[in-house]
């Protein structure tokens, strides 16, 4: 594996999960592997878990993490080809990516979507520009349309907590006041499609994710129907895909409650808005796996970095 | 010791001071103690000394420091319980603290007071929320009402520079144009109350610190009276406690001058506004200990981290 | 060498270049030299290459880099002597520099010019204040009037790529929409004056650099004339020096084209605005050395840090 940009870069999810679990048992086993190698973490957007867990993962491998807030610390970056750069951007991605590649052995990038320009977002302009112009491997720390480190984390967490060979997993939309990206939802769908699970998506009408992602995964417009006999309920808000980036619905009936959840485990990538997405009673119960998920972020990132280093 | 949140966490200040002095003689003695352990430094507010000295302290113990400006780098954090989070905050401290605990072996937090809401500030909402919801030890890098790393530093510095068994120490208010916190003053008072010193506070009327802090420490409203035969004059501005957070007085007669100071040593936690708090002639003289204090910040932090690591 | 503040700190540029090339062959040779030593990188302005390459250089020497955005992370710094600090600045450079010296073994500083106050800029207020008040060595990561790490990089790059004993090197101005500093141009001129090269400067009328810098280096107002038989064309915009900080000319006829360049190598310190400074065809051709220059930033910085550490 050269880059880790999407769930499709996982050749065998079952094997990856087992390897991540082994890393978790012995996080410092490969502490010599990344010695004197640097990981550049480039943030175009805010981050808490990704920022810390990816640094921790790098440290566990003996790497030196170098963090940069691209917008605040450096120069405005131009992504269009052929532009006369007489506006707000001061440096072209062609140079930026090639330059960072001189100092970092792996580049990890976070760049959220516009949510106003579907074509641009789906082109994954920023991530793909780094892949194209960097001379070193690139890791996706959440791009316009995917968050594969999160989805790998989620797959590990489900594998750790399932009591069945083939658990029922639901991805449920929940209400939010802001227009949020589809990235986490998309990658979770793709990960579940690779897993041996009984998988269904619940969202209001007008909120179906891209059909190129959901493919033949069943989509229902009723949480009640979807949650029946569920073992894991993975909750996330996203804005409309069809009416791109719009907030069409903030119906509190879609908020996750303890009653709705029943015995199912609750999952969320965080940050989560309490009592908007999910009521306190769920997050504060033993059925919530959100902290365990956050912990697994380290081992998902560490596995990805390890595979890249071993390939290098 | 699990957490270091206030001067009250120091069981024996004399022993701590001696241990810090020993560390200073041999800062790398415990460089294996923190190996492969991370210190998360979370800043809700600006910092220079604390930011650098705490990182240096961690490095001296072999730890990996991870710095985050919470406001700029991550998400707005909610501290109230039961809120419907449909406003500006995106993540609850319950999750944030628990999550950071997955990646950091110790969490250090800086969060200043509002200076508009006394009840909220005295509840130490942010610091206490971290202590409550983090699963790892928490260090106070200046909270709403205390700055115990600074006060430990100051105790070490006085111990190093005193020529008497029981020196006279004055805490003097000095004028400032902005409303400043009580944290440094509070913790210094508490530290001096534990030390074998002759201690008095000088401040204008209306500027007495909280009586819960000052207890039976004498307070006078005359620098002249207080500075008589003083060995150490510790200077700091704070806003009114009684008329909470207000600037009632910017009287330049309270500015510290070389003449007023006489042979006493001048101390200040920094940053200090020259010729407002204190005239140049004092800071530029050999009587000033401000740089020595700044240096001791490293060893105060290192001692605290060492004690926590040894307890872990 | 104590500090590295200008090209004049290089005693023998030929020897330095050879040493840097040797470091590049074996970057980890001195990885024990900086062990348990910290490099403080203080940024008053944006940075990409300098920020990353100087960290990488420090890591190659085993140092621990500590990065701080002075404006965002810490306090407003006062540089004037004798001021009554009742305005926006909260800490005087006298304290700030002395304090940072307690935590860092070397301090590296980036502070751009005002471009409105020539006298202030030429006094190098910020850099010189650090040199004066710091008790540890200071490295210039681009100051008001010089960028000697960049110029050392450029000298290394020319030395690596020249096919002649005495190549012809041109420094050419190119158009830009914003008022840019003279620092890169100045230091490049000074470096070339120390090298065994045939050196000429091309810029429009009104754009001559300071005569104190250019001395007897020939200046022509025609790219065509200057580029004739050139081996290296180093391109950079700067604002007028005479009509200080003004943009007098954005003539696109000064944009660098493939046709103008011919067989000469193209150099630029980056960031570069495509199709304003230089057309895509140049940057995307094999004649461009900009990425190789960026790579050499690491070894220029590493050489400087190594010399300081060895002297320490």
């Amino acid at each position: 594996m050269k880059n880790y940009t999407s769930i499709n870069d996982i050749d065998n999810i079952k094997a990856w999960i087992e390897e991540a679990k082994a890393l978790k048992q012995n996080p410092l086993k490969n502490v010599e592997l990344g010695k004197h190698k640097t990981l550049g973490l480039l943030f175009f957007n805010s981050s808490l878990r990704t920022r810390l867990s990816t640094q921790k993962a790098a440290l566990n491998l003996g790497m030196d993490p170098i963090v940069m807030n691209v917008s605040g610390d450096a120069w405005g970056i131009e992504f269009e080809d052929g532009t006369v750069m007489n506006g707000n951007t001061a440096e072209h991605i062609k140079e930026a990516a090639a330059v960072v590649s001189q100092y970092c052995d792996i580049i990890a990038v976070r760049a959220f979507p516009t949510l106003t320009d579907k074509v641009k977002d789906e082109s994954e302009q920023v991530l793909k520009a780094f892949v194209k112009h960097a001379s070193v491997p690139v890791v996706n720390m959440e791009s316009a349309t995917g968050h594969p480190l999160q989805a790998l984390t989620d797959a590990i967490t489900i594998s750790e907590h399932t009591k069945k060979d083939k658990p029922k997993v639901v991805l449920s939309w929940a209400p939010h006041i802001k227009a949020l990206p589809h990235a986490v939802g998309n990658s979770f769908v793709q990960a579940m499609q690779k897993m041996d699970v009984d998988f269904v998506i619940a969202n209001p009408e007008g909120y179906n994710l891209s059909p190129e992602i959901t493919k033949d995964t069943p989509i229902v417009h009723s949480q009640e129907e979807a949650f029946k006999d569920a073992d894991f309920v993975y909750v996330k808000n996203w804005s409309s895909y069809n009416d791109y980036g719009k907030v069409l619905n903030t119906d509190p009936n879609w908020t996750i409650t303890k009653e709705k959840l029943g015995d199912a485990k609750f999952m969320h990538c965080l940050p989560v808005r309490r009592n908007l997405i999910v009521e306190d009673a769920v997050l504060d119960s033993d059925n919530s796996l959100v902290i365990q998920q956050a912990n697994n972020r380290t081992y998902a990132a560490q596995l990805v970095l390890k595979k890249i280093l071993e390939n290098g």
Side-chain angles (χ1 to χ4, degrees), chain A:
Chain A
M1 186 179 64
K2 196 196 162 196
N3 305 301
Y4 184 70
T5 61
S6 98
I7 288 292
N8 295 325
D9 292 319
I10 303 179
D11 50 8
N12 180 335
I13 202 165
K14 208 165 175 177
W16 282 46
I17 290 170
E18 293 313 312
E19 197 173 342
K21 287 180 184 173
L23 279 178
K24 191 174 177 177
Q25 292 310 311
N26 192 356
L28 295 172
K29 193 183 168 189
N30 309 103
V31 73
E32 295 296 316
L33 181 64
K35 214 172 169 184
H36 302 310
K37 292 193 183 289
T38 53
L39 171 68
L41 295 94
L42 308 187
F43 290 95
F44 288 84
N45 304 94
S46 296
S47 173
L48 173 68
R49 273 149 292 278
T50 300
R51 195 177 183 100
L52 298 182
S53 65
T54 312
Q55 285 185 75
K56 177 72 178 176
L59 291 168
N60 280 347
L61 293 165
M63 299 185 84
D64 295 304
I66 297 180
V67 181
M68 202 169 74
N69 294 330
V70 182
S71 328
D73 297 343
W75 315 95
I77 294 184
E78 176 64 45
F79 290 91
E80 300 292 342
D81 279 343
T83 322
V84 178
M85 289 171 58
N86 56 6
N88 289 322
T89 54
E91 172 139 44
H92 199 280
I93 182 64
K94 286 187 185 182
E95 277 71 55
V99 162
V100 176
S101 304
Q102 308 300 309
Y103 316 129
C104 299
D105 296 283
I106 302 176
I107 299 174
V109 179
R110 162 163 288 196
F112 288 174
T114 64
L115 290 184
T116 54
D117 185 337
K118 188 192 265 194
V119 173
K120 192 176 189 177
D121 291 348
E122 298 211 318
S123 76
E124 286 287 11
Q125 192 185 39
V126 178
L127 182 68
K128 288 208 174 146
F130 273 98
V131 169
K132 185 171 178 188
H133 300 296
S135 56
V136 299
V138 172
V139 173
N140 180 352
M141 296 196 296
E142 188 171 344
S143 65
T145 68
H147 194 355
L149 284 175
Q150 180 66 50
L152 175 56
T153 299
D154 300 331
I156 297 166
T157 310
I158 288 172
S159 164
E160 284 179 331
H161 289 270
T162 188
K163 289 167 186 158
K164 297 182 187 164
D165 282 348
K166 185 171 177 168
K168 179 175 178 186
V169 177
V170 182
L171 169 63
S172 176
W173 182 94
H176 200 287
I177 53 168
K178 291 194 173 174
L180 296 195
H182 309 95
V184 169
N186 287 347
S187 292
F188 186 74
V189 170
Q190 291 176 309
M192 289 308 107
Q193 288 166 347
K194 285 175 172 269
M195 302 262 292
D196 192 21
V197 297
D198 175 14
F199 182 50
V200 57
I201 305 172
N203 57 249
E205 290 193 33
Y207 273 93
N208 285 10
L209 290 166
S210 164
E212 308 241 332
I213 298 285
T214 55
K215 293 188 174 121
D216 58 1
T217 295
I219 301 174
V220 299
H221 300 312
S222 155
Q223 283 177 326
E224 196 181 354
E225 184 185 339
F227 288 18
K228 206 173 165 229
D229 300 322
D231 297 293
F232 298 89
V233 175
Y234 194 99
V235 178
K236 183 76 188 79
N237 172 272
W238 55 85
S239 54
S240 176
Y241 175 77
N242 223 19
D243 199 352
Y244 193 69
K246 292 287 185 305
V247 176
L248 309 175
N249 186 332
T250 58
D251 184 354
N253 288 315
W254 281 81
T255 296
I256 309 298
T257 62
K258 202 170 165 58
E259 196 190 340
K260 277 185 204 175
L261 194 67
D263 293 330
K265 295 291 183 186
F266 173 82
M267 299 179 72
H268 191 285
C269 63
L270 305 181
V272 65
R273 286 177 178 243
R274 285 178 167 248
N275 303 311
L276 181 64
I277 292 281
V278 54
E279 63 177 16
D280 283 340
V282 173
L283 280 167
D284 296 336
S285 77
D286 288 342
N287 276 10
S288 169
L289 297 180
V290 298
I291 304 306
Q292 292 90 326
Q293 285 174 264
N295 188 28
N296 283 333
R297 292 295 307 273
T298 300
Y299 308 105
Q302 190 170 335
L303 177 63
V304 164
L305 295 173
K306 176 172 171 281
K307 283 181 175 285
I308 290 173
L309 288 170
E310 284 171 345
N311 190 47

